[in-house]
Amino acid sequence: MKVTIDSEQVRRTFSAYPVQSIRVLHRLIESSAIDVQRKMREEAPVGATGDLRRSIKYRMDRSNLGAEIWPDISYAPYVESGTRPHWTSIKEGTSLRKWAKHKGFDEAGMRNLQLSIASKGTKANPFVKPTFDTMKPRVERDIISGFSRFVERVNQGNI
């Protein structure tokens, strides 16, 4: 009796594994980044213009198998954390003036708003941290289950 084992499929599978596993991880990470971006946009306050929501971007870091999601607008940290008392402009074209007009403030109301910010600052309206806290377990679960499906395909020789 003679038994011959053909290892060609095993060699093919394991030679394709490194490239395919990185491709699968990139796809899973990008999909998760898009989900986090969507959730952060839902959590971000609209304000008067919606600029903050539209500014939320994501960028893949393929060399380190990661992604970055962030609000790409100068005042985002102040919305997230609030501010200490400070003087702010209500000149035409400023974001505060746009917001105040949107909320129905007249000139006197805008000056009172300006004085209020100068004496009390602004309240925090966090949207980045709550998004992170909500999405972290979901992202981890999705990446683990997605890669587990890939490993099952590898075990079957289907990559």
Side-chain angles (χ1 to χ4, degrees):
M1 174 181 235
K2 184 176 179 183
V3 176
T4 304
I5 298 174
D6 181 9
S7 64
E8 181 58 32
Q9 183 179 2
V10 173
R11 278 185 275 153
R12 245 190 348 257
T13 298
F14 282 100
S15 66
Y17 181 79
V19 172
Q20 291 298 327
S21 64
I22 297 297
R23 187 174 294 144
V24 166
L25 279 173
H26 282 167
R27 184 178 46 79
L28 291 167
I29 291 168
E30 186 164 23
S31 176
S32 293
I34 291 167
D35 290 344
V36 171
Q37 179 191 35
R38 181 183 319 109
K39 181 68 172 170
M40 193 179 294
R41 283 181 173 174
E42 290 170 1
E43 296 293 322
V46 178
T49 62
D51 289 346
L52 178 61
R53 280 188 172 180
R54 281 191 301 279
S55 80
I56 297 170
K57 312 270 190 257
Y58 82 92
R59 175 178 39 228
M60 293 294 296
D61 182 358
R62 295 191 183 282
S63 61
N64 293 315
L65 291 175
E68 180 181 19
I69 303 97
W70 77 101
D72 190 22
I73 201 160
S74 62
Y75 59 83
Y78 308 119
V79 173
E80 178 77 9
S81 303
T83 62
R84 300 174 113 184
H86 65 284
W87 191 255
T88 186
S89 175
I90 54 170
K91 290 181 181 175
E92 200 62 48
T94 62
S95 56
L96 180 60
R97 186 175 192 91
K98 288 177 191 174
W99 180 86
K101 278 185 173 180
H102 178 73
K103 294 294 184 179
F105 284 74
D106 61 7
E107 284 298 320
M110 285 186 218
R111 281 191 296 282
N112 287 337
L113 176 63
Q114 186 181 40
L115 291 171
S116 175
I117 292 170
S119 66
K120 296 185 266 184
T122 60
K123 288 184 181 178
N125 195 346
F127 62 98
V128 175
K129 178 144 178 28
T131 299
F132 176 80
D133 292 343
T134 300
M135 295 301 292
K136 184 177 187 271
R138 194 177 311 172
V139 166
E140 290 171 347
R141 181 196 67 220
D142 290 350
I143 290 175
I144 289 168
S145 65
F147 202 76
S148 294
R149 285 190 303 273
F150 169 72
V151 170
E152 286 173 19
R153 289 192 354 251
V154 169
N155 289 340
Q156 298 164 357
N158 296 328
I159 65 165

